[in-house]
Amino acid sequence: MEKLISHKKTHNCFKKLDYECYIIISIEEIAMKKMFLTILLFSGAIVFAQDNTEYKYEPEANKAEYFIGTYNTGKDLDDLVAWYNKFAKWTKGQDGAFDSMSTAILTPVFHSNLNAVEVMWSNNWPTPTAQFNGMEKWFTGGGPKLVESLPTTWSEAIDAWQWVVSEPSSLEAGNMMYATYSDCSLEEGYTLRKVYDLYKDFAIYAQSVGDTVGRKIIVPDAGRQLPDGVDFVRLMYSSSISERGENADRYFSKLADSEASANLKGFSCTNGRSYLGMSMTAFN
């Protein structure tokens, strides 16, 4: 339906590109020095002008933690929600370290490995500073003791960067979201930063015709190595389950044949897996 793009080297994915221009000129006469200086300065001006105009948007970045696994014997979603309430109460005594964190509990509905994945817990943070301050409070303020009663066993714990392309109609706590994650690959000649602008253009146009899909570009920083040929994960989510269907219909009736869709190039996405997500706090 929609496409996206990422950088091949994930640890450099979310830094701005810097360009350097080197000019080597063979000079045999002293008089050529002035010419050399003129060429060098002129070239540098071109480079900086290109750097200032190359990208249309400044990505809105945040951090995320994904914990993926199964329920312990005899436990289910109700037990995890009860545990979340204990966790939320504990966070209130941690000097505001978790005030900016948002949490969602997601249950897979369309997935290729339901035996291995029964639940996914997602935390979103506005900045790395907030995230790691929260982590420090967790490990020094009693978190390990609290986790002893956790009704799940996590098989994966993933730290990731996320770029926000668009937001859903509502970010309020209590929403029953519908979220689809897909593995995406870059095409030759495209980078994550370059395609962010293309995707942002598409999302702005989509919203102008009523689209309410939240979109994110996700690149793991630790905890998961993307498969060969996969450069990033795309998240598309709606504030309610029914909105997912409405947005799909809207895509085919108003977006699929649009110029904005035609301009969204340089990537392909496969292996979609969908979840129902209970928003425990405002979801960022």
Side-chain angles (χ1 to χ4, degrees):
M1 244 168 86
E2 299 176 18
K3 305 183 234 180
L4 271 186
I5 299 187
S6 175
H7 197 284
K8 298 286 185 184
K9 298 180 180 178
T10 58
H11 62 280
N12 286 331
C13 268
F14 290 85
K15 296 179 181 178
K16 290 184 176 179
L17 299 176
D18 294 318
Y19 297 89
E20 298 181 354
C21 180
Y22 297 93
I23 301 177
I24 302 175
I25 302 177
S26 176
I27 303 176
E28 296 181 355
E29 298 181 7
I30 299 298
M32 294 293 289
K33 289 183 178 180
K34 291 183 178 181
M35 182 181 295
F36 170 74
L37 181 59
T38 300
I39 293 173
L40 182 62
L41 292 174
F42 180 71
S43 174
I46 293 175
V47 169
F48 283 112
Q50 290 175 338
D51 190 53
N52 288 336
T53 60
E54 183 172 0
Y55 301 123
K56 187 174 181 180
Y57 305 103
E58 183 68 24
E60 178 187 343
N62 60 42
K63 292 298 300 293
E65 300 161 344
Y66 291 95
F67 301 92
I68 303 171
T70 57
Y71 291 107
N72 297 336
T73 303
K75 302 298 182 179
D76 58 20
L77 179 60
D78 289 340
D79 297 294
L80 185 56
V81 171
W83 187 89
Y84 169 82
N85 291 330
K86 294 191 335 185
F87 166 74
K89 182 178 180 179
W90 172 83
T91 63
K92 300 303 181 184
Q94 302 305 315
D95 302 320
F98 294 86
D99 289 354
S100 64
M101 184 189 79
S102 58
T103 299
I105 299 175
L106 300 104
T107 300
V109 287
F110 299 113
H111 201 287
S112 62
N113 196 1
L114 290 174
N115 289 329
V117 179
E118 293 182 337
V119 61
M120 180 164 68
W121 176 297
S122 170
N123 294 328
N124 280 240
W125 300 87
T127 64
T129 297
Q131 178 192 15
F132 286 93
N133 183 46
M135 183 181 295
E136 182 172 323
K137 289 291 185 179
W138 170 262
F139 282 105
T140 62
K145 183 66 176 178
L146 183 64
V147 83
E148 291 177 2
S149 60
L150 184 67
T152 58
T153 298
W154 304 128
S155 56
E156 286 189 271
I158 303 167
D159 176 28
W161 279 99
Q162 301 185 138
W163 277 357
V164 178
V165 178
S166 62
E167 294 186 343
S169 59
S170 172
L171 296 170
E172 295 300 316
N175 289 342
M176 182 59 75
M177 301 178 294
Y178 189 95
T180 299
Y181 296 82
S182 301
D183 297 330
C184 303
S185 303
L186 294 171
E187 294 177 3
E188 186 175 356
Y190 287 85
T191 65
L192 177 68
R193 185 61 188 84
K194 181 178 180 180
V195 173
Y196 178 83
D197 281 0
L198 296 176
Y199 205 42
K200 188 76 173 179
D201 279 341
F202 172 83
I204 290 173
Y205 176 77
Q207 288 181 328
S208 74
V209 297
D211 177 89
T212 60
V213 175
R215 300 171 176 85
K216 292 184 181 182
I217 298 171
I218 304 173
V219 177
D221 196 35
R224 173 180 286 189
Q225 181 176 347
L226 294 176
D228 290 342
V230 176
D231 299 300
F232 67 99
V233 174
R234 174 185 65 188
L235 168 61
M236 297 173 60
Y237 65 108
S238 302
S239 297
S240 69
I241 300 171
S242 60
E243 280 188 40
R244 172 63 177 87
E246 294 167 4
N247 282 310
D249 287 338
R250 187 177 293 111
Y251 175 83
F252 289 110
S253 65
K254 296 184 178 181
L255 294 172
D257 297 325
S258 68
E259 181 180 356
S261 182
N263 290 336
L264 189 56
K265 304 175 181 178
F267 63 94
S268 59
C269 299
T270 59
N271 191 32
R273 52 263 184 211
S274 296
Y275 298 77
L276 300 183
M278 185 183 302
S279 179
M280 310 307 291
T281 53
F283 192 65
N284 299 320

